[in-house]
Amino acid sequence: MAKRFYYAGSILSADLMDLGRDIDAALQAKMDIIHFDVMDYHFVQNLTFGPGLLKAVRSRFPDAIIDVHLMVDPINEKIITDYAQAGASMISFHPEATPHVDRYLSLIRELGCKAGLALNPGTPPQLLRYLWDRLDFVLVMTVNPGFGGQKMIPATLTKVADVQALARESNVIIDIEVDGGVAPSTIAACAQAGANIFVVGSALFGQKDYEVALAELNYALKEKA
Ligand code: DX5
Ligand code: ZN
């Protein structure tokens, strides 16, 4: 069964003084998911969005799918619970941030969200074998996390293919999200490797016309993938 393609717009590249306007325009242009990056100045050298902002985004866009990517170390029950209660639909975290990966994936589902694990470029994917029944999606970082607008690291596409192969070996169909450097020039290779959720920061919110930006991504996806 073919997986559906989704665009997850990363608000890191939006105009923060006009965030509501930018998200609204992107949803009108048929962005599927709001990607909400949480950074703590510890796991990565940047600081972003707390649960208060998430709550505000949720109340303005009650029907949106909101994908919370926690680049936070350590991960704990309070952080996950705060973002789930503030309105997340999907939550992912990085396995380096806790010895309790299995427990926190379960907690995310108990709180009514889809659970995902995020893998840095240097993080091997083998642990996924033991976690399939806890996972709704896998986020493969295609740049080192921390900032938007970076160039995709080519070797990370091998990781996407490895995740896809590991899932197939276990007869699992899972959503694979790629995050970092997704653009018209890279999206087809991501899809060929097995990705079906595309985080787009600068390739969407960095562009003047979101409809044109998504049309260019779609064209690249359909023509070359
Ligand atoms: C990077 C973040 C990404 C980032 C992607 O650490 O996790 O979500 O916003 O930005 P682009 O699409 O510009 O690479
Ligand atoms: Zn992200």
Side-chain angles (χ1 to χ4, degrees), residues 51-105:
L53 181 65
L54 178 59
K55 210 172 158 192
V57 172
R58 169 53 77 209
S59 74
R60 175 90 172 260
F61 301 102
D63 301 325
I65 301 171
I66 306 181
D67 170 28
V68 173
H69 175 196
L70 296 173
M71 285 158 279
V72 173
D73 183 11
I75 279 291
N76 59 42
E77 196 167 330
K78 166 125 178 82
I79 294 166
I80 290 171
T81 306
D82 282 355
Y83 283 90
Q85 289 178 350
S89 320
M90 305 159 64
I91 298 180
S92 62
F93 62 88
H94 289 252
E96 292 83 356
T98 174
H100 304 296
V101 171
D102 180 282
R103 180 192 298 170
Y104 289 139
L105 288 172

Side-chain angles (χ1 to χ4, degrees), residues 10 12-13 35 37 39 69 71 141 143-150 179-182 199-203:
S10 170
L12 201 58
S13 296
H35 185 79
D37 284 310
M39 305 186 185
H69 175 196
M71 285 158 279
M141 285 304 310
V143 299
N144 283 298
F147 299 91
Q150 302 181 72
D179 186 3
V182 176
V199 176
V200 277
S202 40

